[in-house]
PDB file of all heavy atoms in Angstrom:
ATOM      1  N   LEU A  94     -37.900  29.529   3.262  1.00 96.00           N
ATOM      2  CA  LEU A  94     -37.748  30.978   3.559  1.00 96.00           C
ATOM      3  C   LEU A  94     -38.841  31.443   4.476  1.00 96.00           C
ATOM      4  O   LEU A  94     -38.735  32.291   5.326  1.00 96.00           O
ATOM      5  CB  LEU A  94     -37.629  31.776   2.320  1.00 96.00           C
ATOM      6  CG  LEU A  94     -36.326  31.652   1.531  1.00 96.00           C
ATOM      7  CD1 LEU A  94     -36.388  32.412   0.223  1.00 96.00           C
ATOM      8  CD2 LEU A  94     -35.134  32.050   2.368  1.00 96.00           C
ATOM      9  N   TRP A  95     -40.080  30.906   4.131  1.00 96.00           N
ATOM     10  CA  TRP A  95     -41.287  31.344   4.987  1.00 96.00           C
ATOM     11  C   TRP A  95     -41.112  31.014   6.471  1.00 96.00           C
ATOM     12  O   TRP A  95     -41.431  31.803   7.308  1.00 96.00           O
ATOM     13  CB  TRP A  95     -42.491  30.605   4.418  1.00 96.00           C
ATOM     14  CG  TRP A  95     -43.710  31.064   5.052  1.00 96.00           C
ATOM     15  CD1 TRP A  95     -44.339  30.518   6.202  1.00 96.00           C
ATOM     16  CD2 TRP A  95     -44.682  32.034   4.633  1.00 96.00           C
ATOM     17  NE1 TRP A  95     -45.555  31.084   6.401  1.00 96.00           N
ATOM     18  CE2 TRP A  95     -45.724  32.132   5.509  1.00 96.00           C
ATOM     19  CE3 TRP A  95     -44.525  32.923   3.544  1.00 96.00           C
ATOM     20  CZ2 TRP A  95     -46.745  33.032   5.298  1.00 96.00           C
ATOM     21  CZ3 TRP A  95     -45.623  33.823   3.452  1.00 96.00           C
ATOM     22  CH2 TRP A  95     -46.659  33.901   4.283  1.00 96.00           C
ATOM     23  N   ALA A  97     -38.133  30.416   7.982  1.00 93.00           N
ATOM     24  CA  ALA A  97     -36.801  30.853   8.466  1.00 93.00           C
ATOM     25  C   ALA A  97     -36.890  32.008   9.438  1.00 93.00           C
ATOM     26  O   ALA A  97     -37.799  32.879   9.330  1.00 93.00           O
ATOM     27  CB  ALA A  97     -35.932  31.216   7.268  1.00 93.00           C
ATOM     28  N   GLY A  98     -36.046  32.014  10.423  1.00 91.00           N
ATOM     29  CA  GLY A  98     -35.958  33.027  11.409  1.00 91.00           C
ATOM     30  C   GLY A  98     -35.027  34.153  10.983  1.00 91.00           C
ATOM     31  O   GLY A  98     -34.101  34.504  11.728  1.00 91.00           O
ATOM     32  N   MET A  99     -35.303  34.702   9.828  1.00 92.00           N
ATOM     33  CA  MET A  99     -34.456  35.760   9.343  1.00 92.00           C
ATOM     34  C   MET A  99     -35.315  37.019   8.969  1.00 92.00           C
ATOM     35  O   MET A  99     -36.538  36.799   8.826  1.00 92.00           O
ATOM     36  CB  MET A  99     -33.550  35.328   8.242  1.00 92.00           C
ATOM     37  CG  MET A  99     -34.260  34.834   7.025  1.00 92.00           C
ATOM     38  SD  MET A  99     -33.163  34.278   5.655  1.00 92.00           S
ATOM     39  CE  MET A  99     -32.804  32.641   6.082  1.00 92.00           C
ATOM     40  N   SER A 100     -34.727  38.113   8.742  1.00 93.00           N
ATOM     41  CA  SER A 100     -35.504  39.278   8.417  1.00 93.00           C
ATOM     42  C   SER A 100     -36.115  39.156   7.008  1.00 93.00           C
ATOM     43  O   SER A 100     -35.625  38.370   6.187  1.00 93.00           O
ATOM     44  CB  SER A 100     -34.585  40.511   8.477  1.00 93.00           C
ATOM     45  OG  SER A 100     -33.625  40.512   7.522  1.00 93.00           O
ATOM     46  N   ALA A 101     -37.114  39.988   6.709  1.00 94.00           N
ATOM     47  CA  ALA A 101     -37.748  39.957   5.399  1.00 94.00           C
ATOM     48  C   ALA A 101     -36.741  40.359   4.315  1.00 94.00           C
ATOM     49  O   ALA A 101     -36.787  39.774   3.224  1.00 94.00           O
ATOM     50  CB  ALA A 101     -38.921  40.885   5.425  1.00 94.00           C
ATOM     51  N   SER A 102     -35.842  41.265   4.538  1.00 94.00           N
ATOM     52  CA  SER A 102     -34.843  41.613   3.536  1.00 94.00           C
ATOM     53  C   SER A 102     -33.867  40.463   3.231  1.00 94.00           C
ATOM     54  O   SER A 102     -33.523  40.284   2.058  1.00 94.00           O
ATOM     55  CB  SER A 102     -34.090  42.866   3.998  1.00 94.00           C
ATOM     56  OG  SER A 102     -33.282  42.584   5.201  1.00 94.00           O
ATOM     57  N   GLU A 103     -33.512  39.680   4.228  1.00 94.00           N
ATOM     58  CA  GLU A 103     -32.718  38.475   4.015  1.00 94.00           C
ATOM     59  C   GLU A 103     -33.454  37.492   3.211  1.00 94.00           C
ATOM     60  O   GLU A 103     -32.911  36.869   2.265  1.00 94.00           O
ATOM     61  CB  GLU A 103     -32.239  37.861   5.315  1.00 94.00           C
ATOM     62  CG  GLU A 103     -31.174  38.648   6.077  1.00 94.00           C
ATOM     63  CD  GLU A 103     -30.894  37.898   7.409  1.00 94.00           C
ATOM     64  OE1 GLU A 103     -31.726  37.948   8.257  1.00 94.00           O
ATOM     65  OE2 GLU A 103     -29.745  37.404   7.499  1.00 94.00           O
ATOM     66  N   LYS A 104     -34.682  37.292   3.549  1.00 95.00           N
ATOM     67  CA  LYS A 104     -35.509  36.285   2.758  1.00 95.00           C
ATOM     68  C   LYS A 104     -35.606  36.730   1.359  1.00 95.00           C
ATOM     69  O   LYS A 104     -35.599  35.919   0.437  1.00 95.00           O
ATOM     70  CB  LYS A 104     -36.943  36.113   3.427  1.00 95.00           C
ATOM     71  CG  LYS A 104     -36.916  35.524   4.833  1.00 95.00           C
ATOM     72  CD  LYS A 104     -38.292  35.477   5.373  1.00 95.00           C
ATOM     73  CE  LYS A 104     -38.330  34.809   6.764  1.00 95.00           C
ATOM     74  NZ  LYS A 104     -39.671  34.692   7.260  1.00 95.00           N
ATOM     75  N   GLY A 105     -35.880  38.038   1.156  1.00 96.00           N
ATOM     76  CA  GLY A 105     -35.969  38.569  -0.225  1.00 96.00           C
ATOM     77  C   GLY A 105     -34.655  38.350  -0.998  1.00 96.00           C
ATOM     78  O   GLY A 105     -34.665  38.076  -2.200  1.00 96.00           O
ATOM     79  N   PHE A 106     -33.554  38.596  -0.339  1.00 96.00           N
ATOM     80  CA  PHE A 106     -32.356  38.417  -0.931  1.00 96.00           C
ATOM     81  C   PHE A 106     -32.087  37.046  -1.418  1.00 96.00           C
ATOM     82  O   PHE A 106     -31.722  36.811  -2.598  1.00 96.00           O
ATOM     83  CB  PHE A 106     -31.192  38.774   0.079  1.00 96.00           C
ATOM     84  CG  PHE A 106     -29.773  38.327  -0.431  1.00 96.00           C
ATOM     85  CD1 PHE A 106     -29.108  39.031  -1.276  1.00 96.00           C
ATOM     86  CD2 PHE A 106     -29.222  37.153   0.150  1.00 96.00           C
ATOM     87  CE1 PHE A 106     -27.865  38.602  -1.734  1.00 96.00           C
ATOM     88  CE2 PHE A 106     -27.993  36.714  -0.265  1.00 96.00           C
ATOM     89  CZ  PHE A 106     -27.299  37.467  -1.233  1.00 96.00           C
ATOM     90  N   TYR A 107     -32.363  36.086  -0.594  1.00 96.00           N
ATOM     91  CA  TYR A 107     -32.248  34.649  -1.016  1.00 96.00           C
ATOM     92  C   TYR A 107     -33.204  34.257  -2.062  1.00 96.00           C
ATOM     93  O   TYR A 107     -32.865  33.558  -3.065  1.00 96.00           O
ATOM     94  CB  TYR A 107     -32.413  33.705   0.177  1.00 96.00           C
ATOM     95  CG  TYR A 107     -31.232  33.679   1.110  1.00 96.00           C
ATOM     96  CD1 TYR A 107     -31.251  34.197   2.345  1.00 96.00           C
ATOM     97  CD2 TYR A 107     -29.998  33.191   0.697  1.00 96.00           C
ATOM     98  CE1 TYR A 107     -30.129  34.293   3.227  1.00 96.00           C
ATOM     99  CE2 TYR A 107     -28.820  33.192   1.498  1.00 96.00           C
ATOM    100  CZ  TYR A 107     -28.941  33.698   2.780  1.00 96.00           C
ATOM    101  OH  TYR A 107     -27.818  33.755   3.512  1.00 96.00           O
ATOM    102  N   ALA A 108     -34.410  34.727  -2.016  1.00 96.00           N
ATOM    103  CA  ALA A 108     -35.468  34.424  -2.999  1.00 96.00           C
ATOM    104  C   ALA A 108     -35.035  35.038  -4.376  1.00 96.00           C
ATOM    105  O   ALA A 108     -35.087  34.309  -5.428  1.00 96.00           O
ATOM    106  CB  ALA A 108     -36.812  34.937  -2.586  1.00 96.00           C
ATOM    107  N   MET A 109     -34.589  36.262  -4.393  1.00 97.00           N
ATOM    108  CA  MET A 109     -34.263  36.876  -5.681  1.00 97.00           C
ATOM    109  C   MET A 109     -32.972  36.248  -6.274  1.00 97.00           C
ATOM    110  O   MET A 109     -32.923  36.013  -7.511  1.00 97.00           O
ATOM    111  CB  MET A 109     -33.992  38.386  -5.434  1.00 97.00           C
ATOM    112  CG  MET A 109     -35.360  39.109  -5.194  1.00 97.00           C
ATOM    113  SD  MET A 109     -36.671  38.790  -6.323  1.00 97.00           S
ATOM    114  CE  MET A 109     -36.066  39.485  -7.811  1.00 97.00           C
TER     115      MET A 109
END
Side-chain angles (χ1 to χ4, degrees):
L94 291 175
W95 186 271
M99 59 179 87
S100 68
S102 62
E103 288 176 291
K104 291 178 182 184
F106 165 79
Y107 285 111
M109 292 308 295

